[in-house]
């Protein structure tokens, strides 16, 4: 049984999941996704905490305050623009997985660029809400193989 702590961060407009463009993002709400992650976390022995914000600076503040073993982040539209979120992630040196519900590479070209992809431990996109549980399994596996906070 590990006692890892993984933070989940959801970026702008993800509080609208359930009603927002279901063709791209499915029908599950953010609460559904967080509950699934907490349940999976219980099985894996991982404590899950979750945060959502529509504001870039709030996400940067949250990242700066983290004391966790790993991070799952869906930066939403900030994926494609935010050097500030990239710099915050580089500053804290916590391994993270970039997650997207949709396959951003099948969509508009402006979504093909990610400011985080080359500094992420891994990227999962295109599996809807299931992208998050895949990310949790992947990050848990990675963290269990190395000393927490030391990869
Ligand atoms: C998203 C993809 C982004 O391009 C978009 O701006 C989002 C959600 C996804 O999860 O598929 O808000 O990150």
């Amino acid at each position: 049984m590990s006692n890892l702590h993984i933070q989940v961060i959801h970026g702008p407009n993800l509080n609208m999941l359930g009603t927002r463009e279901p063709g791209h993002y499915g029908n599950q709400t953010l609460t559904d996704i967080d509950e699934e992650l907490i349940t999976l976390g219980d099985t894996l022995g991982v404590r899950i905490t979750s945060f959502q914000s529509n504001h870039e600076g709030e996400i940067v503040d949250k990242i700066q305050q983290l004391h966790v073993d790993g991070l799952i982040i869906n930066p939403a539209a900030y994926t494609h623009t935010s050097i500030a979120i990239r710099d915050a992630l580089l500053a804290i040196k916590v391994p993270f997985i970039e997650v997207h519900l949709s396959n951003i590479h099948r969509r508009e070209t402006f979504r093909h660029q990610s400011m985080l992809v080359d500094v992420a431990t891994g990227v999962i996109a295109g599996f809807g809400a299931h992208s998050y549980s895949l990310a949790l399994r992947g990050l848990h596996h990675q963290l269990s193989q190395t000393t927490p906070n030391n990869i």
Side-chain angles (χ1 to χ4, degrees):
M1 185 74 152
S2 60
N3 56 359
L4 297 169
H5 180 189
I6 292 179
Q7 176 72 41
V8 184
I9 295 181
H10 308 281
N13 299 306
L14 295 173
N15 56 315
M16 304 278 293
L17 288 181
T19 55
R20 177 193 179 202
E21 298 187 82
H24 282 306
Y25 304 122
N27 297 308
Q28 281 184 276
T29 66
L30 201 62
T31 306
D32 294 335
I33 290 172
D34 284 343
E35 281 175 3
E36 265 184 41
L37 287 175
I38 289 166
T39 303
L40 178 58
D42 285 346
T43 309
L44 298 172
V46 177
R47 184 157 81 91
I48 301 289
T49 45
S50 177
F51 174 81
Q52 190 275 331
S53 176
N54 293 324
H55 305 279
E56 186 177 21
E58 281 183 8
I59 294 171
V60 169
D61 286 344
K62 181 69 185 179
I63 291 169
Q64 288 181 7
Q65 289 155 13
L66 290 179
H67 295 285
V68 295
D69 300 296
L71 171 65
I72 293 169
I73 182 165
N74 183 350
Y78 290 138
T79 306
H80 318 299
T81 62
S82 182
I83 297 168
I85 291 176
R86 176 194 174 90
D87 285 350
L89 290 166
L90 286 172
I92 63 161
K93 300 195 194 94
V94 169
F96 74 91
I97 309 287
E98 176 184 330
V99 168
H100 302 284
L101 297 135
S102 63
N103 179 353
I104 53 175
H105 300 286
R106 287 182 64 173
R107 299 183 62 192
E108 304 98 318
T109 47
F110 64 83
R111 293 186 204 276
H112 298 180
Q113 168 169 284
S114 164
M115 292 294 172
L116 310 183
V117 68
D118 60 311
V119 291
T121 299
V123 182
I124 297 178
F127 296 94
H130 195 49
S131 291
Y132 286 91
S133 19
L134 291 170
L136 176 52
R137 286 188 185 279
L139 188 53
H140 171 256
H141 179 75
Q142 187 90 12
L143 293 171
S144 303
Q145 294 196 333
T146 49
T147 310
N149 283 327
N150 192 30
I151 62 172

